[in-house]
């Protein structure tokens, strides 16, 4: 019953969190967006003390339930391992000692990277973000292709139940990282179950330490155990040492697989622990801590440091439906444009884990992962496929870490995220001597005014002038400028966003 309940809850969480990355309508975010905010690292970064407290209390009570139910990367590994079991022999796992030095080394590296603001390391190691990249770069493409196929057939019967959406790779580097993560984690899960969780994942290491003191846990009764090894051969965490009647609770993910396999009633999920087993467990812990060189006091110091560090489709445009217009190229911006509500580049660098949730949710197709090392896989704004509509606040609504603060529509309409810059050599007025008023007509704040190119000539063509005090950097002028491949007017980022 416990195992079945865990599987059902895990599937529910996994499907709903996955849909946050796949759904392009915003429906799932409206009802289930809170699930992303219950991931441990995002909750800590956002200073969501209620969520962090709930997760810690649950771990103290029941062990690493988080890893088996709430963490999507953990459930993903379970799915791969379960599939692997259909092709391999049953009872294929075996006990293996913990590689403690590697677990703690990765955790220390993760904490140092958080404190130092080395986001490239943080985004690679954080498990929720790792799964987010897999979902948004791999699963989302398949989901959208399936949607477009349904839209194709629906259109043939005059139905508008589905509509086509653009399917594209927003960043080749991020896509490559997602593929490598998928293959690496998938391979480890296929071969040995939860190897990634118990060797590399920093969240697993932290929760593993807490779960050593959990109240309810799988307990072996040495008096009833016959050392048949059936429990160990079904433990995907490889943490049951049946020869010594011990379980490494720091690696146990509370999957409950072992409970139903014991034929001699020697395993129970309870708060009671036989005295003999307690003594054996203590001896094993002493040996383990001596071999790894990491004392309990030292580990607590690392965890304290870990906690403290966080308090610190635009459609393809055609000319009259006949000639395809050349795609726009991204200008070389001296300062990247950050998502509205992020405040500053420093805030993004400190709190963003590169989970790609805002990139997936953006209905205007203007967010894409950065390829720069300093802001690796964090979102930045690009206007070649759309612009930041003043009434849209979607990215601020879905961000679970606080890297993008929640803003209202009223605040968004006057929030300055950049400034428009005119390049006279690219302007079709100067280049082709034709009349163009696109930038002025589409500016939502009236920041662009057309003035005569030749002040003394009444019939002179007009060129744009930008009022920097009115410009909010929405990118409508850059996106809708007819100049190709580079727009004659583009948005340059600013150091700190502000309301004008």
């Amino acid at each position: 019953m416990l195992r079945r309940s865990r599987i059902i809850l895990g599937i529910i969480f996994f499907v709903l969190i996955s849909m946050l990355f796949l759904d392009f309508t915003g429906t799932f975010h409206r009802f289930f967006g809170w699930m992303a905010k219950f991931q441990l690292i995002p909750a800590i970064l956002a200073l969501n003390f209620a969520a962090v407290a709930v997760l810690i209390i649950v771990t103290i009570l029941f062990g690493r339930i988080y890893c088996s139910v709430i963490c999507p990367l953990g459930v993903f590994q379970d799915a791969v391992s379960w599939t692997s079991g259909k092709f391999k022999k049953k009872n294929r796992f075996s006990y293996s000692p913990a590689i403690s030095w590697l677990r703690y080394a990765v955790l220390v590296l993760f904490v140092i990277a958080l404190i130092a603001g080395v986001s490239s390391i943080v985004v690679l190691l954080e498990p929720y973000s790792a799964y987010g990249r897999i979902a948004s770069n791999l699963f989302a493409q398949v989901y959208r292709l399936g949607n477009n196929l349904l839209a194709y057939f629906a259109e043939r019967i005059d139905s508008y139940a589905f509509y086509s959406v653009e399917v594209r790779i927003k960043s080749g580097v991020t896509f490559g990282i997602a593929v490598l993560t998928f293959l690496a984690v998938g391979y480890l899960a296929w071969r040995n179950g939860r190897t990634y969780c118990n060797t590399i994942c920093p969240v697993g290491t932290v929760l593993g330490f807490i779960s050593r003191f959990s109240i309810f846990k799988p307990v072996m009764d040495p008096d009833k155990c016959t050392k048949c090894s059936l429990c160990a051969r079904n433990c995907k965490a490889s943490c049951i040492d049946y020869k010594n009647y011990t379980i490494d609770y720091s690696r146990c993910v509370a999957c409950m697989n072992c409970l139903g396999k014991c034929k001699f009633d020697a395993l129970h999920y309870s708060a009671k622990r036989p005295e003999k087993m307690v003594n054996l467990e203590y001896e094993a812990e002493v040996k383990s801590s001596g071999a790894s060189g990491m004392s309990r006091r030292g580990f607590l110091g690392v965890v304290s440091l870990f906690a403290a560090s966080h308090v610190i489709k635009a459609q393809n445009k055609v000319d009259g439906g006949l000639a395809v217009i050349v795609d726009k190229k991204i200008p070389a911006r001296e300062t990247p444009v950050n998502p509205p509500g992020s405040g500053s580049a420093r805030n993004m660098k400190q709190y963003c884990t590169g989970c790609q949730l805002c990139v997936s949710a953006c209905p205007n197709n203007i967010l894409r992962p950065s390829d720069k090392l300093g802001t690796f896989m964090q979102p930045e704004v690009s206007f070649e496929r759309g612009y930041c509509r003043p009434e849209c606040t979607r990215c601020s609504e879905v961000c679970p870490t606080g890297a993008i603060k929640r803003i209202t529509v009223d605040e968004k309409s006057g929030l300055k995220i950049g400034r428009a810059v005119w390049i006279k050599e690219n302007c079709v007025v100067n280049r082709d001597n034709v009349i163009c008023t696109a930038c002025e007509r589409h500016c939502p704040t009236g920041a662009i005014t057309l003035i005569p190119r030749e002040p003394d000539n009444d019939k002179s063509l007009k060129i744009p002038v930008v009022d920097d005090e009115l410009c909010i950097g929405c990118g409508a002028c850059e996106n809708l400028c007819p100049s190709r491949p580079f727009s004659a007017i583009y948005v340059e980022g600013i150091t700190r966003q502000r309301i004008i």
Side-chain angles (χ1 to χ4, degrees), residues 17 26 29 35 58 98 132 181 195 197 244-245 269 324 343 370 375 392 397 399 455 476 483 488 490:
I17 290 176
H29 285 284
M35 287 187 170
V58 168
T181 305
T195 301
C197 288
N244 294 309
Y245 310 108
Y269 185 73
V324 177
S370 171
T375 56
C392 178
E397 295 169 358
C399 179
S483 180
Y490 78 99

Side-chain angles (χ1 to χ4, degrees), residues 231-248:
C231 56
R233 287 185 285 147
N234 282 275
C235 177
K236 60 193 175 188
S238 301
C239 66
I240 300 180
D241 182 4
Y242 70 93
K243 294 180 180 179
N244 294 309
Y245 310 108
T246 60
I247 298 175
D248 184 352

Side-chain angles (χ1 to χ4, degrees), residues 136-449:
S136 60
N137 286 276
L138 304 182
F139 300 162
Q141 312 301 331
V142 177
Y143 181 83
R144 294 193 172 202
L145 285 172
N147 171 82
N148 290 352
L149 184 63
L150 291 174
Y152 173 82
F153 288 111
E155 184 180 351
R156 297 299 178 274
I157 58 174
D158 295 326
S159 172
Y160 297 95
F162 300 92
Y163 59 90
S164 295
V165 293
E166 184 182 38
V167 180
R168 70 183 180 96
I169 297 174
K170 297 182 179 180
S171 168
V173 175
T174 302
F175 180 82
I177 294 293
V179 171
L180 290 176
T181 305
F182 176 83
L183 294 176
V185 175
Y187 173 77
L188 292 174
W190 183 273
R191 283 190 57 113
N192 299 307
R194 286 297 191 104
T195 301
Y196 179 87
C197 288
N198 289 330
T199 309
I200 300 173
C201 179
V203 173
T205 302
V206 171
L207 293 180
F209 181 81
I210 298 174
S211 67
R212 286 186 177 188
F213 311 102
S214 61
I215 297 174
F216 294 93
K217 59 184 70 176
V219 176
M220 295 183 68
D221 188 341
D223 295 329
K224 294 183 179 180
C225 180
T226 62
K227 294 188 177 182
C228 69
S229 78
L230 202 57
C231 56
R233 287 185 285 147
N234 282 275
C235 177
K236 60 193 175 188
S238 301
C239 66
I240 300 180
D241 182 4
Y242 70 93
K243 294 180 180 179
N244 294 309
Y245 310 108
T246 60
I247 298 175
D248 184 352
Y249 294 115
S250 71
R251 291 187 291 157
C252 175
V253 293
C255 67
M256 315 300 177
N257 287 354
C258 58
L259 300 182
K261 297 298 180 180
C262 183
K263 300 178 180 179
F264 303 97
D265 196 34
L267 268 171
H268 300 90
Y269 185 73
S270 68
K272 297 180 179 180
R273 305 170 68 191
E275 183 179 350
K276 182 179 179 182
M277 194 198 77
V278 173
N279 294 333
L280 289 169
E281 216 173 55
Y282 175 76
E283 293 174 6
E285 185 176 336
V286 170
K287 292 179 181 179
S288 176
S289 63
S292 66
M294 172 65 76
S295 67
R296 182 175 298 183
R297 182 177 299 177
F299 183 76
L300 280 172
V302 171
V303 174
S304 300
L305 188 63
F306 172 78
S309 65
H310 296 88
V311 177
I312 35 169
K313 174 171 156 191
Q315 296 178 341
N316 292 330
K317 302 176 179 65
V318 296
D319 184 7
L322 300 175
V324 177
I325 296 178
V326 177
D327 288 337
K328 283 182 178 283
K329 292 185 178 180
I330 303 172
R333 309 181 206 274
E334 293 183 6
T335 305
V337 182
N338 292 310
S342 58
S344 65
R346 180 180 180 182
N347 184 73
M348 282 293 296
K349 190 173 182 179
Q350 185 175 1
Y351 293 101
C352 179
T353 62
C355 72
Q356 312 301 308
L357 188 56
C358 59
V359 176
S360 300
C362 178
N364 304 310
N365 289 320
I366 64 167
L367 293 182
R368 62 182 180 85
S370 171
D371 294 337
K372 304 177 184 67
L373 185 60
T375 56
F376 194 45
M377 291 190 286
Q378 295 181 352
E380 62 183 22
V381 181
S382 187
F383 302 106
E384 71 275 8
R385 292 178 177 272
Y387 66 93
C388 194
R389 298 181 179 273
E391 71 278 7
C392 178
T393 60
R394 183 76 65 81
C395 59
S396 75
E397 295 169 358
V398 303
C399 179
T401 67
I404 306 176
K405 304 294 184 183
R406 185 70 178 264
I407 56 175
T408 65
V409 174
D410 290 338
E411 291 172 333
K412 172 66 183 297
S413 61
L415 181 63
K416 186 179 184 66
I417 64 174
R419 57 186 182 85
V421 178
W422 179 61
I423 308 298
K424 64 179 181 180
E425 294 83 4
N426 293 346
C427 187
V428 295
V429 176
N430 291 331
R431 191 178 65 192
D432 302 327
N433 284 317
V434 296
I435 298 174
C436 179
T437 62
C439 55
E440 181 191 46
R441 286 186 292 110
H442 293 102
C443 179
T445 62
I448 300 177
T449 304

